[in-house]
Amino acid sequence: MNEIVDGMNEEEFQTVFTEEQFNKILQMIEEKTLSLENAILLLKRIGYCKVLLDWRIYGFNSSLLRGRFEKMIDDEEEKNEEKNESLLIDLCECYLFLNYRFSSELISMCVPCLLKVALKKEENEVSQKEVEMALLALSNIECFFMEQKLYLNEIKEIIQYHQEYHNLTRLAYQTAWRFLVSRLWADNSLEEAIVIELRFAREAIKELEELSKCVDWKRKEEDGRIEVIIIGRWLYDISNFFLLFRSWNEELVGLVCSIVQVLRASRCNYGEICFECIRSISKAAINRCVNVEGFLKCAAVDAVFERIQQPTLGDKIAFHGFRFFMGVSRKLKEKKKEEMEEVKRKEMKRMVFEKLEEEGYEDTIISFFETVEHFKRNYAHFFLKNISDYHWCQTRNLVPNPELANFCVI
């Protein structure tokens, strides 16, 4: 059955694993035509594929099986000497893997249970796989507030121990970071621990570089390799980090440089990786984590512009590419109170203007005129309003519609 699950594509996965299917699994358990042990093995495999590949299934959340598992976790947690730790771990992993909404009470039981597993420091293959499964299940708890006492000391210890002794698999290490970065949505007090204590940017740079060495970017058939999947997961988390962290930090320039390298390597054969790169860079520009000088130093302006000129450009990449230029232009428009800083801003604006003019930025923007209405309909809530500083296009009478000037704000 595991082979069947592994061989499914996303559409097949969503079609098969419905509420009805999970209820049928419960019925088989109750009728003893499927042992609980085998059911757990199957459910963990389903959950592993779902979370690793970021697929969506909603049937478990509304199924009777979910209620049964919640009761079993609660019953097992209340036991003392007779508690079956192995069963409790399996139940908690299934619950976290397959859900998309969580009970606070169950979270308070599952998180400490699985962090205890993840704190194992043995480097043998069996132990590493157990740790990986526990952390991957925990990484599925996104955008959910939980008290720091449930997790902070333990997840910091897991990350710091790996930084010194390298005991985790690459996937386990990435999922440990996803679990922590996800907490920023509800608790921005974690910024110091993530940025200063644990050095998120430094670690992300190192992981992107090491993983990229394992990929032959010229071969499209490697798209399903675990290294490619992990790179995509890192980029997704970096994008969220840029969205939530708004203070300038020198290490973030180095992180953008690493993303640019992956972008250039992936642009021909790896569309999803390319998209995640451009989304990350655009978030950094919109939320001002990196200054314009940093983007020029990393050649991010060149790399994004090169990508939006490619004939295989899709809506998602086009949208985030234009958002990147909006973020840069907004930064360049900000007047500085100090005279020297204002002089520096004007010089930086001139440099960006000349670079894009030389590369044909105006012609590229105009070529997108027919798609502006499409972007407005689908992404209007993201676009800037009342932009006054787009003289570059206005003074040349190149924009037949004022709305298009939203793309020409340099």
Side-chain angles (χ1 to χ4, degrees):
M1 192 63 186
N2 283 348
E3 293 178 1
I4 295 174
V5 173
D6 292 345
M8 290 181 178
N9 59 35
E10 185 173 6
E11 183 179 355
E12 291 168 337
F13 198 81
Q14 292 174 342
T15 302
V16 170
F17 298 115
T18 60
E19 177 184 351
E20 181 182 6
Q21 187 63 50
F22 287 115
N23 286 339
K24 185 175 181 179
I25 291 173
L26 175 58
Q27 182 181 355
M28 293 172 69
I29 294 171
E30 291 176 339
E31 293 175 351
K32 301 190 184 303
T33 55
L34 176 66
S35 69
L36 178 60
E37 180 182 2
N38 286 337
I40 285 173
L41 289 173
L42 173 61
L43 292 167
K44 285 174 69 171
R45 192 66 192 178
I46 296 168
Y48 178 88
C49 292
K50 166 188 174 287
V51 175
L52 178 66
L53 300 172
D54 194 30
W55 288 348
R56 297 286 182 263
I57 54 172
Y58 302 103
F60 181 82
N61 209 72
S62 55
S63 70
L64 298 173
L65 184 61
R66 171 186 169 165
R68 172 69 180 273
F69 270 45
E70 288 180 339
K71 186 177 187 309
M72 291 171 69
I73 292 170
D74 191 44
D75 290 345
E76 205 62 44
E77 183 68 28
E78 288 182 356
K79 295 178 183 177
N80 294 316
E81 296 180 0
E82 298 179 359
K83 184 183 296 186
N84 186 335
E85 293 284 354
S86 178
L87 175 60
L88 182 59
I89 290 165
D90 287 338
L91 292 170
C92 288
E93 287 179 350
C94 288
Y95 177 78
L96 295 185
F97 269 140
L98 296 169
N99 264 314
Y100 68 94
R101 289 201 304 264
F102 302 96
S103 156
S104 297
E105 183 180 356
L106 267 292
I107 286 291
S108 67
M109 298 177 194
C110 292
V111 170
C113 173
L114 296 188
L115 283 174
K116 185 177 178 181
V117 176
L119 280 164
K120 289 183 179 180
K121 296 180 171 60
E122 297 89 345
E123 295 185 31
N124 62 75
E125 188 175 344
V126 173
S127 180
Q128 284 187 325
K129 191 62 180 179
E130 290 174 351
V131 170
E132 184 180 277
M133 289 290 284
L135 285 170
L136 192 64
L138 287 166
S139 75
N140 195 42
I141 315 172
E142 295 189 44
C143 310
F144 185 92
F145 177 79
M146 64 180 74
E147 295 181 76
Q148 288 187 8
K149 66 181 182 181
L150 279 178
Y151 67 88
L152 187 55
N153 291 337
E154 289 83 357
I155 201 70
K156 283 170 61 177
E157 181 180 344
I158 290 164
I159 290 172
Q160 288 171 330
Y161 189 86
H162 174 78
Q163 289 173 352
E164 186 171 358
Y165 297 104
H166 307 287
N167 66 308
L168 301 176
T169 65
R170 291 200 181 278
L171 177 58
Y173 189 49
Q174 185 279 318
T175 54
W177 273 112
R178 173 164 293 192
F179 174 79
L180 186 56
V181 171
S182 294
R183 310 277 70 75
L184 268 175
W185 287 99
D187 187 357
N188 58 17
S189 69
L190 294 170
E191 282 189 1
E192 183 174 345
I194 291 172
V195 177
I196 299 173
E197 289 184 62
L198 301 175
R199 304 287 294 275
F200 173 75
R202 180 195 67 185
E203 294 301 302
I205 290 169
K206 182 177 68 176
E207 291 297 308
L208 286 177
E209 290 176 351
E210 291 299 317
L211 287 161
S212 292
K213 292 175 185 176
C214 302
V215 179
D216 183 352
W217 294 106
K218 295 178 181 179
R219 297 180 60 185
K220 176 67 175 177
E221 55 266 31
E222 293 204 336
D223 202 17
R225 281 190 57 158
I226 187 65
E227 291 86 0
V228 176
I229 292 169
I230 299 171
I231 288 171
R233 288 172 63 86
W234 268 109
L235 291 168
Y236 176 84
D237 294 334
I238 291 167
S239 180
N240 283 336
F241 173 78
F242 281 148
L243 176 64
L244 301 167
F245 180 75
R246 300 185 180 234
S247 301
W248 186 86
N249 182 291
E250 180 62 36
E251 286 188 339
L252 299 185
V253 177
L255 181 52
V256 171
C257 288
S258 291
I259 296 169
V260 168
Q261 290 175 10
V262 175
L263 170 60
R264 285 191 154 143
S266 65
R267 64 183 179 180
C268 293
N269 291 322
Y270 294 80
E272 281 303 311
I273 296 294
C274 183
F275 162 66
E276 292 292 354
C277 287
I278 289 184
R279 182 168 68 166
S280 297
I281 296 171
S282 77
K283 294 281 178 66
I286 291 293
N287 294 302
R288 311 177 192 198
C289 304
V290 177
N291 56 28
V292 177
E293 187 176 6
F295 287 124
L296 289 176
K297 178 182 177 181
C298 298
V301 173
D302 297 310
V304 174
F305 186 59
E306 287 167 9
R307 185 61 188 88
I308 65 172
Q309 287 182 307
Q310 284 189 277
T312 56
L313 184 67
D315 285 354
K316 294 190 300 182
I317 291 177
F319 168 65
H320 284 286
F322 287 127
R323 285 199 79 205
F324 167 74
F325 287 111
M326 287 179 181
V328 170
S329 71
R330 188 169 65 182
K331 189 70 175 174
L332 290 172
K333 289 190 332 183
E334 294 176 342
K335 299 290 191 289
K336 305 294 182 181
K337 292 182 180 179
E338 295 184 13
E339 186 175 341
M340 289 300 295
E341 286 296 313
E342 177 61 13
V343 171
K344 184 178 178 181
R345 181 191 72 85
K346 288 182 178 180
E347 176 61 17
M348 189 68 62
K349 187 170 183 176
R350 184 190 64 79
M351 289 173 59
V352 174
F353 174 87
E354 290 181 354
K355 175 181 283 291
L356 293 178
E357 185 173 43
E358 182 180 341
E359 296 295 329
Y361 179 75
E362 290 175 353
D363 292 339
T364 300
I365 295 300
I366 292 168
S367 73
F368 279 90
F369 174 65
E370 295 299 327
T371 63
V372 169
E373 290 301 320
H374 167 75
F375 280 112
K376 283 172 61 183
R377 284 194 303 272
N378 292 280
Y379 305 107
H381 57 295
F382 284 117
F383 283 121
L384 303 174
K385 304 297 181 183
N386 303 317
I387 297 174
S388 59
D389 189 15
Y390 40 81
H391 62 277
W392 181 16
C393 292
Q394 284 185 325
T395 56
R396 290 165 173 73
N397 298 316
L398 294 173
V399 184
N401 184 326
E403 290 292 342
L404 191 56
N406 282 329
F407 295 135
C408 306
V409 291
I410 304 299

